[in-house]
Amino acid sequence: GYEPIGKIFEGENLISDPHKNPDIEMLARIAVLTSIAEVECSKKDNQWFLESGDPTEAALIVFGKKIGYEKNDLLKKYPQVLEVPFNLKTKHHTVINLIDGKKFLASSGSPEILLEKCEHIWADGAARKITDRDLANITETMREYANAGYRMIALSCDMSVPSNMSAEKLSNLTFVGLIAIIDSIRDE
């Protein structure tokens, strides 16, 4: 559902206070900044529903709401200066926001596509060079969740955005994490 309650796990570990975890904070910030969905709570029956956007994007908003992030509040604090909507060619949704006067690029989308563009990984509150071992661990995690019926969304960022950035030429990204969502059966 779309109700922003529930537990947050990092692997099999329950995150009891996500605000004390800089990795979860960064993941949630990117999730909210890159989502265009809106979820609302009905005043009539107190049930949460998808107001606009698609369910995949709504999962990102709900994740952010679980730790108290509201899209409008983040946009007031971090104004958006560019948006490259998701499309089937690039398979990611990318935004650039101003954070403390500096451009911050946030991207969500296909793990396979975004991982190819990542040269760093966010861990323990900082970016470091991504290793073959990191990539193997990420790939294994993706496989395990896919086998359990989840769809994966990769989240990445760039804190030093080049002036000539384009959606097709994203590079030097920092892999921040994966969001696993239940992939419900779709009407085809």
Side-chain angles (χ1 to χ4, degrees):
Y2 298 110
E3 189 173 9
I5 61 168
K7 298 174 181 170
I8 297 172
F9 290 86
E10 188 172 20
E12 294 181 7
N13 300 318
L14 175 66
I15 305 297
S16 58
D17 187 353
H19 294 289
K20 291 183 179 177
N21 185 316
D23 300 338
I24 299 297
E25 287 266 340
M26 179 67 88
L27 196 66
R29 182 184 304 156
I30 293 169
V32 172
L33 289 174
T34 61
S35 177
I36 58 170
E38 293 182 29
V39 296
E40 298 290 330
C41 186
S42 169
K43 293 177 180 157
K44 182 178 176 182
D45 61 7
N46 209 30
Q47 294 294 310
W48 286 84
F49 64 96
L50 179 62
E51 176 72 22
S52 65
D54 71 39
T56 300
E57 299 247 351
L60 299 176
I61 285 290
V62 170
F63 170 65
K65 283 181 175 283
K66 284 182 180 183
I67 66 169
Y69 281 161
E70 295 291 335
K71 175 99 179 207
N72 289 335
D73 294 341
L74 282 181
L75 288 176
K76 285 178 190 170
K77 189 173 180 180
Y78 311 126
Q80 187 178 93
V81 296
L82 177 73
E83 178 179 20
V84 180
F86 181 90
N87 69 60
L88 292 175
K89 181 180 175 189
T90 62
K91 297 188 180 187
H92 61 81
H93 179 201
T94 298
V95 297
I96 295 179
N97 297 75
L98 293 177
I99 296 181
D100 299 326
K102 296 179 181 176
K103 289 181 179 178
F104 175 83
L105 180 144
S107 203
S108 62
S110 163
E112 294 81 8
I113 298 296
L114 289 179
L115 270 173
E116 287 178 1
K117 301 172 184 307
C118 289
E119 296 179 23
H120 301 89
I121 187 167
W122 185 264
D124 301 321
R128 64 169 171 76
K129 196 80 169 152
I130 199 165
T131 65
D132 289 340
R133 183 182 192 112
D134 294 325
L135 292 170
N137 288 339
I138 294 164
T139 301
E140 178 61 18
T141 298
M142 289 170 27
R143 187 189 63 71
E144 288 173 7
Y145 277 95
N147 287 343
Y150 289 86
R151 183 172 358 155
M152 304 303 294
I153 303 168
L155 301 177
S156 60
C157 69
D158 184 350
M159 292 173 255
S160 57
V161 181
S163 58
N164 62 347
M165 189 286 299
S166 73
E168 289 78 22
K169 296 181 182 176
L170 285 181
S171 63
N172 197 34
L173 295 180
T174 299
F175 176 81
V176 177
L178 297 166
I179 301 280
I181 60 172
I182 295 172
D183 200 5
S184 57
I185 298 173
R186 297 180 219 166
D187 295 331
E188 297 286 337

